[in-house]
Amino acid sequence: MPTPAFNSLVWIVVGFSLAAGALALALSASALMRQRDVSVRLSSLIGGGQVRGSLLDILSGWTETLGRRLISDTAAAREIRDLLAKAGFFRPVALYVFVVLRLVFAAAGAVVFLGWFGVTPLNAGIAIVLAVLCYRYAAIAVKYMGERRAQAIQRELPSVLDIILMVLDSGVSIDQCLHYVTTVIGASAPTTAAVLIRHTADIDSGVPYDVALDRLGQRLAVDEGVDFANLLKQAIFQGGELGSSLRRFSAELADRRLARAREEGGRRATYLTIVMVLFFVPVLLVILMGPAAVRIGETLTAAAHRAHSSEIRSK
């Protein structure tokens, strides 16, 4: 008969196997989607007709159709769309795919819980609560991804602006500058580079400059990125010297970055104070008051012995 330790080891191996399989499936799906996009573009360029849909395309189509039926254009849908855009998901179908995956994630959590602990009224209630938590956690996870992406862009933007200023000082146009900067910041500023790649692709495909710059500000999804896009739009449509404006804006971003660093330092100091109060102060009190407590205990013990001895002698 298998021991409990053996059963635990089996479940651990099963969990790791499922996680590895899910990771491999996600990576292969991403590779298939990229290959599909390349095939579609090549087919449209050479005029070879439409590419036959794969199983992944059929599943994504069904997911999009189901998502369109589940959600309509409401305030909640627009809020989710904004969260997805801030997290870096810009495709229109991202909203509908997220809605379906969110429901599947919640249902899977409830089914796994019931399959593990059995179907009872109490477990059914716990499974419903777990499904609600999983449903809510999906939106929280997307919001967290958006916050991390915004922090990354805020860290990368000052250095990107310095490179843009250096390239502009060489006498090239704004379009040539952004094309060159996009090719050189891939390693140092990957998040901002992905946004600039989309912007240059919009310009190359014939999107009007005002629309492309508005999309650039929306994709950067931070106040500094919107201001940067507005500066470019002002320089293109209203004229003026872009170098001096960007130089002042870069200095302002450096000041903001320093202010955020000081604020983060003050917050970390507060965290360290809490850690010291919780962990160091009790130990310090034990070290300082321990000898006194031991001496008091020894004194009370000696006094008790003397009292007992005197009582024995009196008898």
Side-chain angles (χ1 to χ4, degrees):
M1 182 176 180
T3 61
F6 179 77
N7 291 333
S8 301
L9 181 61
V10 169
W11 282 113
I12 291 173
V13 172
V14 169
F16 277 113
S17 301
L18 290 175
L23 180 60
L25 181 62
L27 293 177
S28 60
S30 178
L32 285 174
M33 290 180 68
R34 290 196 299 269
Q35 183 180 3
R36 169 70 179 174
D37 292 338
V38 173
S39 301
V40 170
R41 287 198 298 269
L42 283 176
S43 177
S44 62
L45 287 175
I46 64 179
Q50 294 184 352
V51 180
R52 185 167 174 259
S54 61
L55 179 60
L56 183 62
D57 297 327
I58 297 173
L59 290 176
S60 62
W62 286 350
T63 304
E64 180 184 354
T65 303
L66 180 59
R68 289 182 184 274
R69 293 180 179 179
L70 290 174
I71 193 169
S72 58
D73 191 9
T74 59
R78 289 191 291 270
E79 182 181 357
I80 295 175
R81 186 180 287 110
D82 293 338
L83 289 176
L84 291 172
K86 291 179 180 179
F89 302 101
F90 305 113
R91 292 186 176 183
V93 298
L95 172 63
Y96 309 111
V97 174
F98 172 75
V99 169
V100 175
L101 293 180
R102 190 182 188 184
L103 292 174
V104 170
F105 180 60
V111 170
V112 169
F113 180 83
L114 291 176
W116 186 280
F117 294 100
V119 181
T120 61
L122 179 60
N123 290 342
I126 297 175
I128 293 173
V129 174
L130 180 62
V132 173
L133 292 177
C134 292
Y135 184 83
R136 180 59 182 164
Y137 177 74
I140 295 174
V142 172
K143 185 177 180 181
Y144 176 73
M145 291 173 61
E147 292 176 354
R148 292 292 301 269
R149 182 175 177 272
Q151 292 174 0
I153 291 176
Q154 288 175 344
R155 288 194 305 267
E156 297 171 359
L157 204 55
S159 59
V160 173
L161 285 179
D162 292 337
I163 299 174
I164 290 175
L165 284 172
M166 288 189 293
V167 177
L168 284 176
D169 290 339
S170 64
V172 300
S173 64
I174 296 176
D175 290 343
Q176 293 173 339
C177 173
L178 293 179
H179 274 82
Y180 176 76
V181 170
T182 301
T183 60
V184 299
I185 63 172
S188 60
T191 307
T192 308
V195 176
L196 291 180
I197 287 173
R198 288 179 175 270
H199 172 71
T200 54
D202 288 342
I203 296 298
D204 293 340
S205 60
V207 177
Y209 277 96
D210 54 346
V211 177
L213 291 174
D214 289 338
R215 290 181 181 178
L216 175 63
Q218 293 173 359
R219 288 165 179 166
L220 289 173
V222 292
D223 295 336
E224 294 86 348
V226 176
D227 294 338
F228 170 63
N230 290 332
L231 280 177
L232 295 180
K233 185 188 296 186
Q234 181 181 0
I236 292 174
F237 293 101
Q238 299 179 6
E241 187 178 356
L242 180 61
S244 59
S245 301
L246 281 180
R247 197 165 282 109
R248 288 193 299 269
F249 183 60
S250 178
E252 183 181 354
L253 285 186
D255 294 338
R256 291 182 188 178
R257 187 176 182 181
L258 182 59
R260 282 196 298 268
R262 289 175 177 172
E263 181 181 358
E264 184 67 22
R267 200 160 45 236
R268 294 295 176 85
T270 304
Y271 295 158
L272 288 176
T273 303
I274 295 174
V275 171
M276 289 181 63
V277 170
L278 291 177
F279 296 99
F280 292 139
V281 173
V283 176
L284 185 62
L285 290 177
V286 169
I287 293 174
L288 294 177
M289 299 178 62
V294 171
R295 288 177 179 270
I296 292 173
E298 291 176 351
T299 302
L300 293 176
T301 303
H305 280 298
R306 285 196 298 270
H308 184 66
S309 301
S310 61
E311 184 180 356
I312 293 175
R313 280 196 222 84
S314 62
K315 290 180 179 180

